[in-house]
Amino acid sequence: MFKKFDEKESISGMLQLKSSVQKSIRSKLVEAYPHLDNYIDGILPKKDALRIVKCHDHIEIIVNSAGELLFFRHRESQWMPTLRLLHKYPFFLPMLQVDKGAIRFVLSGANIMCPGLTSPGARMTDVSKDTVVAIMAEGKEHALAIGRTTLSSQDITKINKGVGVENCHYLNDGLWQMKPVK
């Protein structure tokens, strides 16, 4: 999604959000990520002037008044946290761990294949299909990608073929490189 994302070329506009829209986004985020409930006021303060950065390819990014990129979504789908936000609050997404052999492929934007999630160095949390997950790497502390599961963890284990997680945002992609938006 952000492989060829360039800050100068990809941004098409910015909108200041009304407080009612901010309130609905906050409630959707708490509903989608229940572990975020106690921290939502720190991430999206009620009195903060939130903005949405509109980008080409139907991508929207929530930005706070300081210009920090917080959440993004593609085509009205579920809001997903940016990796910078996930590194601050690493506990609010279920984690799937890939083995060492998959790291370089994930960091180049490849989807996560089922065998990379079922090999000896990998670990999986029990998740259903279409769940937003943090992709961890064997032997590393922080998440290296955020993705959406294409199969449930039981199906990934059973089938063990094809794409298990669609890679949406990874370290050093265009969104990671993007500077705070003023």
Side-chain angles (χ1 to χ4, degrees), residues 69 87 123 131 149:
L69 312 170
H87 288 172
R123 277 188 282 156
T131 303
T149 55

Side-chain angles (χ1 to χ4, degrees), residues 57 62 66 86 107 177 182:
D57 301 328
I62 296 178
L86 185 66
L107 289 178
Q177 299 285 344
K182 295 292 176 197

Side-chain angles (χ1 to χ4, degrees), residues 46-58:
K46 288 181 180 170
K47 300 290 182 192
D48 201 0
L50 293 181
R51 295 172 292 169
I52 285 197
V53 176
K54 296 249 183 208
C55 305
H56 298 302
D57 301 328
H58 305 282

Side-chain angles (χ1 to χ4, degrees), residues 68-84:
E68 287 179 88
L69 312 170
L70 302 172
F71 293 90
F72 67 94
R73 71 177 177 179
H74 183 247
R75 292 191 183 271
E76 302 292 319
S77 63
Q78 180 181 355
W79 289 104
M80 292 186 241
T82 60
L83 273 168
R84 290 188 195 282

Side-chain angles (χ1 to χ4, degrees), residues 31 35 63 97-98 100-101 109 113 141 150 163-164 179:
E31 185 183 315
H35 297 296
V63 178
Q97 181 176 301
V98 296
K100 286 182 178 172
M113 307 305 278
E141 181 185 348
T150 56
V163 177
K179 292 172 182 61

Side-chain angles (χ1 to χ4, degrees), residues 87-134:
H87 288 172
K88 287 181 190 171
Y89 303 94
F91 51 84
F92 78 87
L93 285 182
M95 296 179 186
L96 301 182
Q97 181 176 301
V98 296
D99 60 0
K100 286 182 178 172
I103 295 173
R104 68 185 182 119
F105 296 107
V106 173
L107 289 178
S108 64
N111 290 329
I112 294 85
M113 307 305 278
C114 292
L117 293 166
T118 57
S119 63
R123 277 188 282 156
M124 280 195 293
T125 333
D126 193 31
V127 292
S128 58
K129 183 181 176 179
D130 289 326
T131 303
V132 176
V133 293

